Amino acid sequence: MSRIFHPLLALIASATDNELAKYVEYLKHENAILRSRLPKQIHTTYEERQILLKYGKVLGRAIEELISIVSPATFARWVRDGKNGRPKPKNPKGGKRKPQELRELVIKIAIETGFGYTRIIGELRKLGIKKISRQTVRNILKEEGIEPGPDRTSDSWNEFLKRHGETLWGCDFFSVKSVTTKGVRDLYVMVFLCLQTREAIVTESTEHPNSAWVCEQTLKFIEQSRGRDIKPSMIIHDRDGKYTKEFTETLKQSGIKPNPLPIASPNLNGRCERFIETIKLECLAKFIIFGKQHLDYLICEFTSYYNTCRSHTARDHLPPIQKIPDEIEKLSPEEVLVIPHIGGLVKSFERKAA
């Protein structure tokens, strides 16, 4: 270092004031060029700041024209901090941290209850923990990325489905074009879908989906679900005019609560809509439908395949009503049966019987 700076110091020492001004101006421009090759922000260590303070404070306000590594305001802050000795590094976590066990308890209460800061404090007080403030609870949750109480406790549609999924069913209609002796006609079908298991029950089709037909199909659905351990307790549906007062009364008489969805909210019955899209794309779109009997056969076949053989991501890639099979390590192709469905349109695979 001394060999590099010695000629420069000797030159400055022997120069006049006019020459010194020229040297400084040159060094300022050279420094600007060098700084342009460096990152926008340069972080200095404590020792480096002390060196800059040692030579910069004696310059007074002239330092504002010379300093470029930091802003003049930052240099002034260094001077103020230096008067009180070496500043202590700030603790980004805010003072002395609470024991890990207490932090885990706060997080557990927040996640399992959805409580806000004040109610979490109340739960801790009941457990005998007094030396913790509301701000500390807030800091702990903030560090873990847990939102404040109002954002977590506000109920969502997904949370509602989780609570009621086993007994909550969706209901919807869809139509299919069919070739009949009277020309092309629309045939209507009614779908009931369990929102947790994704099991589907699909009715017979009709050209005239009046109130009597809707009630008849609803009674058939109720009859199919009567012997179950977990029976339907609520059915959600849109505000289609085919859901008449007779339909509502039919459900109530069987102890099932009808729940009309808000206007213009198709996503709330999205699982039922998704099944309708699936049966249309994977089955009905592959055929020209010839009349009611043909359509009913295709729907019956696909619904049976869907419930017992078609995997579903929401069911951990298992069919809606199939139990989890025993896990095995090896299975040769010779031990697997290929089962065709709907005339070979789709296939499923099963183990051969032992």
Side-chain angles (χ1 to χ4, degrees):
M1 295 290 289
S2 61
R3 292 182 179 180
I4 296 175
F5 288 102
H6 178 70
L8 177 61
L9 295 175
L11 180 63
I12 293 176
S14 61
T16 63
D17 290 344
N18 186 34
E19 290 174 329
L20 282 176
K22 294 179 181 179
Y23 297 157
V24 170
E25 193 67 23
Y26 169 79
L27 291 175
K28 286 171 63 178
H29 286 83
E30 183 181 88
N31 188 40
I33 295 173
L34 294 174
R35 284 295 309 277
S36 66
R37 303 291 196 277
L38 299 175
K40 296 292 183 182
Q41 186 177 13
I42 298 178
H43 298 280
T44 58
T45 65
Y46 174 79
E47 290 73 17
E48 290 170 340
R49 290 195 292 273
Q50 293 306 305
I51 294 173
L52 293 175
L53 285 170
K54 177 181 178 181
Y55 294 103
K57 286 193 293 186
V58 299
L59 298 178
R61 297 188 64 87
I63 190 66
E64 297 180 5
E65 298 294 330
L66 294 175
I67 194 166
S68 60
I69 191 170
V70 294
S71 67
T74 300
F75 185 84
R77 177 169 55 79
W78 290 353
V79 174
R80 292 194 300 271
D81 292 341
K83 293 180 181 179
N84 301 321
R86 182 171 182 169
K88 297 181 180 179
K90 294 182 179 180
N91 183 359
K93 303 300 182 183
K96 186 177 180 181
R97 292 172 63 83
K98 294 296 181 183
Q100 184 63 28
E101 294 80 5
L102 179 56
R103 296 173 60 84
E104 292 176 356
L105 179 58
V106 170
I107 294 168
K108 178 181 178 65
I109 294 174
I111 292 175
E112 293 192 3
T113 64
F115 288 166
Y117 309 139
T118 303
R119 293 195 65 183
I120 291 176
I121 287 288
E123 295 300 318
L124 294 174
R125 293 289 187 271
K126 290 191 296 183
L127 296 173
I129 301 173
K130 297 182 178 180
K131 293 185 177 180
I132 185 171
S133 66
R134 186 179 185 278
Q135 182 63 36
T136 301
V137 172
R138 178 184 180 277
N139 292 341
I140 292 173
L141 298 186
K142 186 176 180 181
E143 290 170 18
E144 296 297 323
I146 301 176
E147 296 296 329
D151 290 337
R152 291 183 289 113
T153 56
S154 55
D155 201 7
S156 67
W157 183 243
N158 285 335
E159 291 298 323
F160 176 80
L161 293 181
K162 288 179 182 179
R163 290 197 302 272
H164 302 281
E166 287 187 327
T167 60
L168 181 63
W169 288 66
C171 179
D172 205 354
F173 296 94
F174 71 95
S175 62
V176 180
K177 297 289 184 183
S178 173
V179 179
T180 69
T181 56
K182 299 179 182 180
V184 178
R185 292 289 187 270
D186 284 325
L187 295 178
Y188 293 86
V189 181
M190 196 173 181
V191 175
F192 295 88
L193 185 82
C194 180
L195 299 191
Q196 178 166 305
T197 66
R198 302 304 201 274
E199 178 186 358
I201 296 177
V202 187
T203 69
E204 296 180 1
S205 60
T206 183
E207 287 188 42
H208 308 288
N210 52 30
S211 178
W213 176 81
V214 171
C215 292
E216 180 185 353
Q217 305 310 312
T218 303
L219 287 172
K220 290 182 178 179
F221 159 73
I222 295 171
E223 186 63 30
Q224 290 187 53
S225 59
R226 192 179 301 279
R228 298 167 181 261
D229 294 332
I230 302 176
K231 300 177 181 179
S233 64
M234 182 185 299
I235 289 185
I236 61 173
H237 57 84
D238 57 29
R239 296 179 180 270
D240 193 307
K242 291 186 282 292
Y243 298 114
T244 60
K245 293 181 179 179
E246 290 76 13
F247 165 77
T248 301
E249 289 300 322
T250 301
L251 291 177
K252 289 181 177 179
Q253 290 173 7
S254 300
I256 301 175
K257 178 182 177 182
N259 187 6
L261 296 173
I263 298 174
S265 57
N267 290 340
L268 298 185
N269 203 13
R271 289 167 171 79
C272 205
E273 296 280 358
R274 185 63 181 87
F275 170 78
I276 293 173
E277 182 181 8
T278 297
I279 193 173
K280 284 185 175 182
L281 291 179
E282 297 185 11
C283 178
L284 302 180
K286 311 293 185 180
F287 294 90
I288 298 175
I289 310 299
F290 293 98
K292 176 183 182 311
Q293 187 176 356
H294 186 201
L295 176 60
D296 290 345
Y297 168 78
L298 293 176
I299 287 177
C300 181
E301 286 290 305
F302 183 85
T303 303
S304 176
Y305 158 75
Y306 181 90
N307 287 334
T308 59
C309 301
R310 188 184 185 278
S311 61
H312 201 297
T313 54
R315 296 280 294 162
D316 194 23
H317 302 283
L318 291 173
I321 59 176
Q322 179 177 321
K323 296 182 179 180
I324 299 176
D326 297 331
E327 186 174 355
I328 59 175
E329 295 182 359
K330 295 181 180 180
L331 189 65
S332 65
E334 291 76 16
E335 299 176 273
V336 177
L337 285 175
V338 181
I339 310 298
H341 303 272
I342 320 174
L345 177 65
V346 290
K347 298 180 177 64
S348 64
F349 300 84
E350 296 180 1
R351 298 181 197 168
K352 289 183 179 179

